[in-house]
Amino acid sequence: MTEDNHSSITEFIIIGFTDHQDQKILLFSVFSAIYLITMVGNLGLVALIYIERRLHTPMYIFLGNLALMDACCSCSITPKMLQNFLSHDRTISLYDCMAQFYFLCLAETADCFLLAAMAYDRYVAICSPLQYHTMMSKKLCIQMITGAYVAGNVHPMIEVGLLFRLTFCGSHEINHFFCDVLPLYRLSCVDPYINEMILFILAGSIQIFTITIVLISYFYIIFTIFRMKSKEGRRKGLSTCASHFLSVSIFYGSLLFMYARPSSVDEGDKAIPVAIFYTLVVPLLNPFIYSLRNKEVINVMKGIMGKRLF
C-alpha cells in the first residue's frame, strides 16, 4: 500500500452503542438526563463555592476545581455522543478526534492531581489541625491547583503530539462511543508500540504518583483517627474523609483498568463499560458524593434557597 493510501483517512466513524433506532432514542434520553444533571451539579457546585465566602478554604477550592474538570470531561464527549444518536452521520475528523481526546485527557489528568491535593489537605486538617492555616497557605493552594492544570495540559499534548506519527488505513470505524487513543492505535498502519509504551509510562506514573500521595495521606489520617479518645472525634474524622476516599476509589480503579495495563490496547469494546463509568458516571456522582455528605455545603444551599424563597 502506498503512503498516499496510508494517509488518505482523515475522518472516522464512531460506532457508538447500537444501530437500532428504538434503543438509540432510549439511550439518547438516558444520556441526556445524565449530561444535564452532571452539568447542573458540577457547575452549580462551582458557582456555590465561588459566591459563598465561607467556602473559600483550600478544601472547597480544590473541590470547585474538581467539579470544573468533571464538567469539562462531560462536555468533551457527551454532546458529540448525543448528536450521533440522532444523526445518521457519525463521522468525526481526525483533528476533532484529537481535540476530543485532548480535553478528556486534560480533565482526567488534572483530576488525579486535584484528588491527591485534597488528600493532602485532609491529612493536614486531621493530623496537624493547629498548623493547618500555616501548612495549607493560600500560596500553596494556588501552586497545587496550577500544578494540576499544567500537568493536565502537558500530558495530552504529548499523547496528541505522538498521534501525528501515525497514519491510518483500512477500516476507519472507531469501536467506541468517543475518540480515545486506544481505538486509534488499533486503526493505525504504523506500529503504535512507541505510543503504547509512552501512554503506559505516563498514565502509570501519574496514577502511581498521585495514588501514593493519597495512600500515604490516608495511612496517617486513619492512624490519627483511631488514636482519638473521643468517639465523636473519630466519627467526625471518618465522615470528613469518607466522601473523598469513595470518589478516589471509583475514579482511580476505572482509570487504572483503562490505561495503566500493557494489554489495554487490545481490549476493544470490552473496555466500553469502564469508559462509561469514568467519563460519565463519576462526573455525575462526584457533586452528590461531596455535597450530600457535607453539612457545610448543605447549610449554605439551604441558606441560599431560604433567601430566594423568602
Side-chain angles (χ1 to χ4, degrees):
M1 186 174 287
T2 65
E3 182 64 27
D4 289 340
N5 286 336
H6 276 199
S7 58
S8 61
I9 295 178
T10 57
E11 64 179 23
F12 304 95
I13 296 175
I14 298 178
I15 298 298
F17 296 99
T18 180
D19 288 323
H20 297 289
Q21 190 61 33
D22 292 342
Q23 293 180 8
K24 281 186 176 182
I25 294 172
L26 175 62
L27 289 172
F28 176 82
S29 302
V30 170
F31 287 117
S32 293
I34 289 174
Y35 181 56
L36 180 62
I37 296 170
T38 299
M39 298 306 294
V40 170
N42 283 290
L43 295 182
L45 188 57
V46 172
L48 186 69
I49 292 170
Y50 178 77
I51 64 176
E52 181 54 55
R53 296 185 64 87
R54 280 182 291 170
L55 302 181
H56 291 181
T57 61
M59 181 177 73
Y60 293 108
I61 293 171
F62 290 138
L63 178 56
N65 282 274
L66 182 71
L68 186 63
M69 287 297 97
D70 283 342
C72 176
C73 174
S74 187
C75 280
S76 66
I77 61 172
T78 310
K80 179 61 178 176
M81 181 180 67
L82 294 176
Q83 178 189 335
N84 289 343
F85 283 131
L86 301 179
S87 173
H88 294 293
D89 181 15
R90 292 178 290 180
T91 61
I92 185 170
S93 71
L94 175 61
Y95 293 106
D96 286 344
C97 190
M98 290 181 178
Q100 190 179 63
F101 172 73
Y102 180 92
F103 287 106
L104 174 65
C105 187
L106 185 160
E108 301 296 351
T109 304
D111 271 0
C112 287
F113 286 95
L114 289 170
L115 287 169
M118 291 172 72
Y120 177 75
D121 174 73
R122 292 300 83 205
Y123 155 73
V124 176
I126 292 174
C127 300
S128 304
L130 299 179
Q131 298 175 318
Y132 179 77
H133 294 290
T134 303
M135 295 177 67
M136 284 303 300
S137 64
K138 183 178 180 180
K139 180 180 178 180
L140 178 61
C141 183
I142 293 172
Q143 288 174 341
M144 286 181 169
I145 293 171
T146 302
Y149 285 122
V150 169
N153 278 280
V154 170
H155 182 206
M157 285 174 64
I158 294 172
E159 299 296 347
V160 170
L162 286 170
L163 284 175
F164 284 103
R165 67 176 289 271
L166 304 180
T167 53
F168 303 94
C169 57
S171 174
H172 60 301
E173 294 182 343
I174 295 177
N175 189 20
H176 217 307
F177 62 95
F178 68 94
C179 258
D180 198 1
V181 287
L182 302 183
L184 288 176
Y185 292 166
R186 290 191 287 271
L187 300 179
S188 173
C189 304
V190 178
D191 185 359
Y193 176 75
I194 294 175
N195 297 61
E196 293 173 22
M197 286 304 300
I198 292 177
L199 175 66
F200 174 70
I201 291 169
L202 284 179
S205 298
I206 289 168
Q207 291 178 51
I208 289 171
F209 173 73
T210 52
I211 286 175
T212 300
I213 293 174
V214 171
L215 291 178
I216 291 174
S217 298
Y218 272 95
F219 172 80
Y220 283 105
I221 286 170
I222 292 171
F223 182 73
T224 301
I225 287 174
F226 282 103
R227 286 181 62 191
M228 293 178 178
K229 296 180 180 179
S230 167
K231 289 184 179 180
E232 179 63 23
R234 287 198 296 268
R235 187 198 63 77
K236 187 176 179 181
L238 289 172
S239 177
T240 301
C241 299
S243 56
H244 178 260
F245 191 74
L246 176 61
S247 178
V248 165
S249 302
I250 295 172
F251 179 75
Y252 279 112
S254 54
L255 274 189
L256 284 169
F257 184 85
M258 279 294 296
Y259 296 109
R261 297 176 302 125
S263 61
S264 57
V265 177
D266 302 318
E267 290 292 330
D269 58 359
K270 296 178 182 178
I272 288 179
V274 181
I276 292 173
F277 207 71
Y278 81 86
T279 58
L280 301 176
V281 177
V282 171
L284 170 70
L285 294 178
N286 270 347
F288 298 100
I289 290 174
Y290 287 105
S291 300
L292 297 179
R293 293 186 59 86
N294 191 304
K295 291 183 179 180
E296 192 166 1
V297 172
I298 292 173
N299 290 335
V300 169
M301 291 174 64
K302 287 180 178 178
I304 292 174
M305 291 176 67
K307 290 178 182 179
R308 296 290 184 223
L309 293 173
F310 302 101

